[in-house]
Amino acid sequence: MDLDVAGKGYLLVGATSGMGMATAHVLAADGAALVLVGRDRERADRAVANIVAAQPVARVSAVCGDVSSASDVERCVAEAVETLGGLDGVGVFTGTLGHEPIDMPDDHWMAAFEDVLLGTVRVVRTVLPHLVARGGGTLVTTAAYSIHDPQAARLPYGALKGGVAVFTKGVAKAYGKHGVRANCVCPGAIETEALHALRGVLSEARGIPYDETLERVMVDDWGMHVALGRPGQPHEVGELVAFLLSPKAGYLTGALVNIDGGTDF
């Protein structure tokens, strides 16, 4: 499908790997101009090179910043607006902390809050004036399937991702009159770099065939019964997010979109 994003500019935060970079590949393939945000310069440069290798004419660059810093977010957004000549859409893929029990120390709670919830809030509130001034635009945030099925071992993560979902719905309702669409995706187990590495480690440690390791562990250890019987792939999430960011999803806003292979909540 032609997403009708050629010539449009998108800021992708937390997009130097995983689902964010997969989204960048899809948008770049359809002619969008991109600015990627990540914390590590070397990884950011590799991400840009990876996309350009696949799409030699792609307009893609990277800026480094940390969403736990309000000044970093403001700087990254300002640089993206200048580079792209304005913003048509923003994807936020940050938020990985909080995979601990409820009794984790207060400083761990605060770090998870900064990373999972406030980091997303900072990005969205910083870009909203730019989208409004442009006459509209699109936002996509990332929550998680676990907001539907909170688990004791990672309750802080699920609770804060639930906050991301509610926040995104509120933005959709408040800013629809300005032409801004906001949607939130809820990925299940997605085989990003970390999970892919775990496949090899567990295969060797447990003597399980490599191609079956995660599929078994998802059920036996994590209690995740998935209708499709496998983890998702980053490109599958990237295709969904790119669609939501594009004009093809023009009447879709305020949605909570599960992409979890039919996980049994």
Side-chain angles (χ1 to χ4, degrees):
M1 176 188 291
D2 180 356
L3 293 175
D4 195 23
V5 296
K8 296 185 181 298
Y10 294 92
L11 172 65
L12 303 178
V13 180
T16 57
S17 63
M19 295 177 284
M21 192 163 77
T23 301
H25 274 282
V26 177
L27 292 171
D30 267 13
L34 309 172
V35 171
L36 314 182
V37 177
R39 288 178 291 186
D40 181 86
R41 169 52 64 183
E42 185 176 344
R43 174 177 279 193
D45 289 343
R46 283 201 307 268
V48 170
N50 184 287
I51 294 167
V52 171
Q55 305 292 334
V57 298
R59 290 178 52 206
V60 56
S61 61
V63 295
C64 286
D66 189 336
V67 297
S68 67
S69 165
S71 61
D72 267 19
V73 171
E74 291 167 3
R75 174 181 53 80
C76 289
V77 170
E79 289 186 27
V81 170
E82 182 176 1
T83 298
L84 298 170
L87 288 176
D88 293 293
V90 180
V92 187
F93 302 90
T94 58
T96 60
L97 299 183
H99 291 270
E100 299 180 57
I102 191 173
D103 60 354
M104 71 181 189
D106 280 5
D107 61 331
H108 288 209
W109 268 100
M110 291 306 298
F113 171 72
E114 288 273 356
D115 179 53
V116 177
L117 180 55
L118 192 53
T120 296
V121 171
R122 286 190 179 111
V123 173
V124 172
R125 76 183 182 194
T126 303
V127 301
L128 276 170
H130 295 282
L131 298 181
V132 171
R134 199 170 177 83
T138 57
L139 292 163
V140 176
T141 63
T142 47
Y145 96 95
S146 54
I147 71 172
H148 305 290
D149 183 28
Q151 299 169 350
R154 56 189 60 86
L155 188 55
Y157 176 79
L160 293 166
K161 283 295 191 182
V164 171
V166 173
F167 172 72
T168 306
K169 179 72 171 183
V171 169
K173 295 184 69 175
Y175 285 84
K177 62 187 176 184
H178 298 292
V180 175
R181 295 189 296 105
N183 294 290
C184 182
V185 297
C186 294
I190 307 299
E191 196 170 350
T192 57
E193 289 90 337
L195 200 56
H196 185 68
L198 183 61
R199 179 187 288 277
V201 170
L202 291 175
S203 175
E204 183 174 347
R206 300 189 183 186
I208 303 173
Y210 182 85
D211 292 340
E212 300 176 14
T213 303
L214 287 180
E215 289 72 10
R216 292 193 192 180
V217 169
M218 285 169 62
V219 176
D220 298 340
D221 292 19
W222 303 343
M224 293 180 66
H225 297 274
V226 181
L228 295 183
R230 63 172 178 84
Q233 296 302 312
H235 74 87
E236 294 173 312
V237 180
E239 289 161 358
L240 170 63
V241 175
F243 168 73
L244 292 173
L245 286 170
S246 80
K248 296 298 185 182
Y251 196 59
L252 184 56
T253 193
L256 190 65
V257 185
N258 299 327
I259 179 163
D260 55 29
T263 301
D264 187 7
F265 299 139

